[in-house]
Amino acid sequence: MMKVTNEFLIPFIGLKLGKHQFEFEINNSFFDKFDYHEYESSNIKAKLTLEKKSTLLELNFSQKGTVNVPCDLTNEQFDLIIKSKLKLVVQFGETFNNDNEELLILPYGEHEIDISQYFYEMIVLSVPLKRIHPGIKDGSLKTKALDKLKELSVKKSKEEAKQENTDPRWDKLKQLLTDK
């Protein structure tokens, strides 16, 4: 279990009704607290807009930044651009309940909320499962691994082409089999 940092503990009890903005700089030290070490480095600007209403809180999370990850094709490290949003309604009830991902129920009498878990999940889920270096798409990345991949794909397509060039006499015979 992670240690909660005060920065992500929002004391909502003292806030006036209305909207309140919070901004955070998130880097690898944030992920270390969750014992999560997937990124070589990270630089993320995270925002929270908390709207305090008389009976509930509306939280709007957003994040935008980069995580440094290896490319799945070439293993080259690169900064992957990520961004995402999340909406959470906080209500008060008899017991704590976070079964619904869009609704959090805090026990009556609670005076603060730890939002770090929401930022953590939102960021981790915004990173795609397949991570491709942008230089592969635009052709600017040159690596030995990429050259080998191209070479292999050219061989494969030549073999496929050979298989497609069949004898027309056999094609006629095959047609007889399917025309029954």
Side-chain angles (χ1 to χ4, degrees), residues 62-94:
S62 66
Q63 63 84 12
K64 189 177 179 179
T66 58
V67 291
N68 192 275
V69 292
C71 170
D72 288 336
L73 293 176
T74 64
N75 218 25
E76 289 282 312
Q77 291 292 132
F78 73 103
D79 283 337
L80 177 71
I81 297 168
I82 56 167
K83 67 179 191 178
S84 59
K85 290 181 174 172
L86 174 78
K87 202 174 187 142
L88 178 70
V89 172
V90 180
Q91 292 181 337
F92 299 90
E94 294 301 320

Side-chain angles (χ1 to χ4, degrees), residues 28-41 68-70 120 124 131:
N28 274 19
S29 63
F30 173 81
F31 296 104
D32 290 344
K33 292 179 181 96
F34 289 89
D35 203 23
Y36 188 77
H37 310 287
E38 286 286 304
Y39 314 133
E40 191 68 31
S41 63
N68 192 275
V69 292
Y120 168 74
V124 170
R131 303 154 184 185

Side-chain angles (χ1 to χ4, degrees), residues 9-23:
L9 267 181
I10 307 295
F12 54 80
I13 203 82
L15 298 175
K16 292 184 171 92
L17 293 181
K19 288 187 178 179
H20 304 273
Q21 300 276 347
F22 301 88
E23 293 192 6

Side-chain angles (χ1 to χ4, degrees), residues 88-91 96-98 100 102-106 113 118:
L88 178 70
V89 172
V90 180
Q91 292 181 337
F96 176 88
N97 184 328
N98 64 354
N100 183 331
E102 292 168 20
L103 175 68
L104 171 67
I105 297 174
L106 290 178
I113 179 173
Y118 295 99

